[in-house]
Amino acid sequence: MPNQKNQTQVAVLQDKIKEAKSLAIIDYSGTSANDQVKLRRAIADAGGEVLVTKNTLIDIAIGRGKLSDSLEGMNAVVFSNEDAVSAIKALFTFHKDEDKLVIKEGFMDDKVLSATEVEALSKLPSKPELISMLIRTLQAPATGMVNVLKANQRDLVYALKAIAEKK
């Protein structure tokens, strides 16, 4: 029978998995303590969390066998809580800068993601970027309409100026 500490840890993991929009399993064995602090800070700034726990507890919390291929070695779980992309983007930015992590697999909406799918997820725009793109798209027709309405007045001014210069 599992001890109480492990049962509590599995319950905490299951709660974090339910709250997270996506997660990634990473191998952090090549990182130093300072690198881990920088990674945790970058993930936290992006609305995520890094959690290090036993591989068997991660396997139990997610569902036995779903991620068992990647649960060997020194692993951590990166949770993306605010949106599915932000913390994963921060993870890949850190990975590009430091090149000390191994991104193994991901998990989103009860679907296991390969490392390439997690990388593709990191390249998607985040929620704030999507909102700004939507606002720009909605503003474009209004801006165009204003320019069309001002064009007649502007053309009249140019025509009058040209006539005045001829005389």
Side-chain angles (χ1 to χ4, degrees):
M1 173 152 170
N3 66 30
Q4 187 61 37
K5 180 181 175 187
N6 287 348
Q7 290 176 348
T8 305
Q9 186 70 20
V10 167
V12 167
L13 274 169
Q14 287 174 334
D15 288 342
K16 289 182 183 296
I17 291 167
K18 286 177 188 171
E19 291 173 14
K21 308 287 190 266
S22 66
L23 62 90
I25 306 292
I26 60 170
D27 182 348
Y28 65 93
S29 59
T31 60
S32 66
N34 288 337
D35 293 334
Q36 291 174 27
V37 168
K38 285 195 287 188
L39 174 64
R40 287 177 188 273
R41 187 174 299 129
I43 299 293
D45 289 345
E49 180 181 3
V50 178
L51 182 69
V52 177
T53 188
K54 295 179 181 178
N55 291 334
T56 54
L57 299 181
I58 296 169
D59 193 32
I60 291 168
I62 290 178
R64 286 200 180 268
K66 288 185 178 178
L67 295 174
S68 58
D69 295 338
S70 64
L71 292 176
E72 294 177 6
M74 296 174 56
N75 294 312
V77 184
V78 176
F79 297 98
S80 188
N81 296 325
E82 289 187 11
D83 64 55
V85 179
S86 296
I88 304 297
K89 275 183 180 255
L91 172 65
F92 271 87
T93 302
F94 180 85
H95 177 62
K96 287 177 189 171
D97 294 344
E98 301 294 330
D99 198 29
K100 295 180 180 178
L101 298 173
V102 176
I103 290 114
K104 294 184 171 183
E105 285 185 312
F107 192 74
M108 184 171 85
D109 296 330
D110 290 331
K111 182 181 182 287
V112 176
L113 305 173
S114 69
T116 55
E117 290 173 321
V118 174
E119 185 175 2
L121 181 65
S122 75
K123 294 178 182 174
L124 293 174
S126 65
K127 187 175 180 179
E129 290 170 340
L130 286 172
I131 290 171
S132 68
M133 290 166 74
L134 176 65
I135 289 171
R136 280 195 309 259
T137 304
L138 292 174
Q139 285 180 338
T143 305
M145 180 64 105
V146 167
N147 287 336
V148 167
L149 293 175
K150 285 184 176 180
N152 289 336
Q153 297 168 349
R154 187 175 50 235
D155 291 344
L156 177 63
V157 169
Y158 288 144
L160 291 175
K161 186 176 179 184
I163 292 170
E165 287 177 358
K166 274 187 174 181
K167 291 185 178 185

